[in-house]
Amino acid sequence: MKSWDKLPDFVRNDAVYPYYRKLRRKNFSLFWKRIFDIIVSFILLILLSPIFVFLALAIKVTSKGPVFFRQQRVTQYGKIFRIFKFRTMVVNAEAVGAQVTEKNDARITKVGKLIRKCRLDEIPQLLNILFGTMTFVGTRPEVPKYVERYTKEMRATLLLPAGVTSLASIKYKDEDDLLENSENIDEAYINVVLPGKMKYNLLSLRKSGFFRDIGVMFLTVFAVFKR
């Protein structure tokens, strides 16, 4: 982790400092967390390659457009990166709707509904983990316009790489139900869903640890199968 004086001004404030001080003491643990990410993501990419190919073919055959959906998101220190996901919506979906999806969103393809239900659209993020822009467990990366609305304390989540899953992701796995019938989905997400998710994200920062992360990974698998 960077020294405090080298953090971007956007992240460096009094509300973030207590989180930084706690995480700074865990540099050794964070190092092994990165080693774990590299090894496990590489192994999973190999093991899941048949599913990877099958889903790619299913997407290509059933709808026009690319296999992957790539979107700008924000990760550690406020850096912009492009997230990898299997495309589950029509091409240019962002141009005809909000950047979050609602229940029964008409932009989702038939194959996409099944892929999203099982969270298989997240598999390509193993590439993001391998490249170091994401980690297995951490705050889900948001698009820049949502990050601009973070409170000073929320910016503490940018001290670590964005994650594929988190306690907040599990608790809010059905967030589209909360957005249903909202007149302005973007504003409803920012004012209702995001603050709730951030409570769990900030709690996870205060209690971060390797074995806690492993527990979240198992809970995620359980939540997917339960769903």
Side-chain angles (χ1 to χ4, degrees):
M1 181 178 290
K2 291 182 178 181
S3 60
W4 177 253
D5 60 345
K6 290 184 178 180
L7 293 179
D9 292 340
F10 175 72
V11 178
R12 198 170 64 242
N13 65 65
D14 291 342
V16 169
Y17 186 71
Y19 294 94
Y20 171 83
R21 189 170 55 187
K22 281 180 176 291
L23 293 172
R24 184 71 173 175
R25 298 193 193 109
K26 299 181 179 182
N27 265 347
F28 185 72
S29 176
L30 294 175
F31 169 78
W32 285 109
K33 178 181 173 74
R34 177 61 189 143
I35 297 300
F36 174 86
D37 284 347
I38 293 172
I39 294 173
V40 176
S41 62
F42 182 75
I43 292 173
L44 287 177
L45 279 168
I46 294 174
L47 293 177
L48 297 177
S49 57
I51 296 175
F52 207 103
V53 173
F54 175 78
L55 292 177
L57 289 173
I59 293 168
K60 198 67 179 175
V61 170
T62 58
S63 64
K64 294 181 180 179
V67 169
F68 296 113
F69 168 72
R70 300 201 64 191
Q71 183 186 54
Q72 285 192 337
R73 298 287 181 97
V74 182
T75 188
Q76 189 176 31
Y77 308 137
K79 292 180 180 178
I80 303 294
F81 77 106
R82 293 183 71 84
I83 194 170
F84 285 99
K85 298 182 80 171
F86 278 126
R87 182 176 59 83
T88 59
M89 305 179 82
V90 297
V91 177
N92 297 323
E94 291 177 290
V96 294
Q99 290 187 307
V100 291
T101 55
E102 58 182 319
K103 193 172 184 179
N104 301 317
D105 197 312
R107 296 172 296 170
I108 302 175
T109 64
K110 290 182 179 180
V111 170
K113 287 181 181 180
L114 179 60
I115 293 175
R116 292 172 73 96
K117 185 175 182 180
C118 300
R119 293 194 67 174
L120 296 175
D121 56 319
E122 313 283 0
I123 291 178
Q125 287 167 46
L126 290 169
L127 294 169
N128 288 120
I129 295 173
L130 189 62
F131 297 155
T133 51
M134 291 184 70
T135 184
F136 276 106
V137 179
T139 301
R140 285 292 298 168
E142 300 285 0
V143 295
K145 76 172 186 178
Y146 293 157
V147 175
E148 290 173 2
R149 303 284 292 273
Y150 278 10
T151 64
K152 288 185 176 181
E153 187 179 17
M154 288 178 182
R155 296 172 195 172
T157 59
L158 301 175
L159 291 171
L160 297 177
V164 172
T165 189
S166 65
L167 186 60
S169 299
I170 297 169
K171 296 291 185 180
Y172 280 80
K173 64 181 184 298
D174 297 316
E175 68 178 49
D176 50 355
D177 290 337
L178 298 175
L179 298 173
E180 191 176 8
N181 300 322
S182 299
E183 292 184 6
N184 187 318
I185 296 177
D186 282 329
E187 287 300 317
Y189 179 78
I190 291 169
N191 295 319
V192 179
V193 177
L194 186 60
K197 291 169 72 173
M198 277 297 177
K199 288 181 181 179
Y200 288 105
N201 290 329
L202 292 171
L203 175 64
S204 295
L205 276 185
R206 291 193 292 269
K207 298 185 177 182
S208 63
F210 179 76
F211 291 107
R212 183 181 176 85
D213 285 356
I214 296 298
V216 170
M217 291 173 70
F218 277 110
L219 285 174
T220 300
V221 173
F222 176 76
V224 171
F225 277 105
K226 183 179 179 180
R227 187 174 183 179

